[in-house]
Amino acid sequence: MSFGHDTNDALRGTAALVNTAVGAFPDADGNTLSSVAQLEDFFGHWGWTGRRVGDEAELEQVRALRPRLREVWLAADDPERVVDLVNALLRDGQALPQLVDHDGYGFHIHATSPDAPLARRMQVEAAMAFVDVIRADELGRLRICAADDCDDVVVDLSRNRSKRYCEGGCGNRLAAAAYRSRQGD
């Protein structure tokens, strides 16, 4: 399934953000987004635009957003609950959709000003992507990793809805374990 580039990017970036709280290689407190430098790397990797403060307060605001976003995945089998969660994200984020054209992507929608705080921009971008998922009746594409020992979130953008594992290597790890088991190790 392919949504617009902005929706695909926002969904993948949102899943990555949520998974910084429960990733495969967390630091001592279960968090892989524990420094301003890590936030800066995350910001750059996912192509965020707009104002960036780069301080501990901004880091804490972004970290505090993760449970709200994760809740959408946890509620994916209850469309009414997801709609309530997404509407709250939009309302609390003071979303004001507008068409923009930057970085060669053509016109797409941003729903916050580039001067809005980073966490608010992330919140609203995620909510706008979830709106597209809901409107396409594709909530089944929001999943939790199928590995028994992982609770990372997954966005399945494959054509055949076959993605079962997170980006943390669970699929490869389980395939290697199954191979070793078949070999009698």
Side-chain angles (χ1 to χ4, degrees):
M1 173 79 195
S2 184
F3 296 101
H5 84 275
D6 51 339
T7 298
N8 286 345
D9 288 351
L11 288 169
R12 289 189 347 259
T14 300
L17 177 61
V18 170
N19 290 340
T20 64
V22 294
F25 303 104
D27 64 16
D29 70 353
N31 174 44
T32 59
L33 190 60
S34 59
S35 71
V36 171
Q38 287 174 323
L39 178 59
E40 185 65 34
D41 289 345
F42 187 88
F43 182 88
H45 178 80
W46 290 103
W48 287 96
T49 59
R51 179 175 69 106
R52 183 79 174 79
V53 176
D55 64 9
E56 289 291 328
E58 183 176 66
L59 173 64
E60 288 309 313
Q61 290 168 356
V62 170
R63 288 177 62 171
L65 175 59
R66 297 178 303 187
R68 289 188 73 189
L69 298 175
R70 181 178 181 73
E71 189 64 30
V72 174
W73 270 269
L74 297 175
D77 60 346
D78 182 354
E80 289 182 29
R81 174 80 176 122
V82 171
V83 167
D84 289 343
L85 293 167
V86 170
N87 281 338
L89 288 167
L90 290 167
R91 188 173 43 257
D92 296 347
Q94 302 168 355
L96 182 60
Q98 52 207 294
L99 285 169
V100 296
D101 183 8
H102 64 84
D103 298 331
Y105 289 121
F107 283 104
H108 58 281
I109 297 174
H110 281 198
T112 59
S113 80
D115 292 331
L118 176 59
R120 182 182 303 159
R121 291 194 322 270
M122 291 176 149
Q123 172 181 326
V124 172
E125 288 289 325
M128 293 295 291
F130 293 142
V131 165
D132 286 350
V133 172
I134 293 165
R135 290 180 55 186
D137 196 24
E138 294 286 353
L139 283 173
R141 293 185 178 274
L142 304 179
R143 302 184 181 135
I144 304 299
C145 182
D148 290 338
D149 60 346
C150 181
D151 61 356
D152 279 4
V153 299
V154 175
V155 177
D156 181 0
L157 296 174
S158 68
R159 284 186 189 192
N160 63 357
R161 293 182 171 91
S162 61
K163 186 169 181 165
R164 297 178 41 207
Y165 300 105
C166 69
E167 300 296 327
C170 289
N172 290 338
R173 181 175 49 81
L174 291 173
Y179 174 80
R180 284 191 305 274
S181 176
R182 287 191 305 272
Q183 300 305 311
D185 284 28

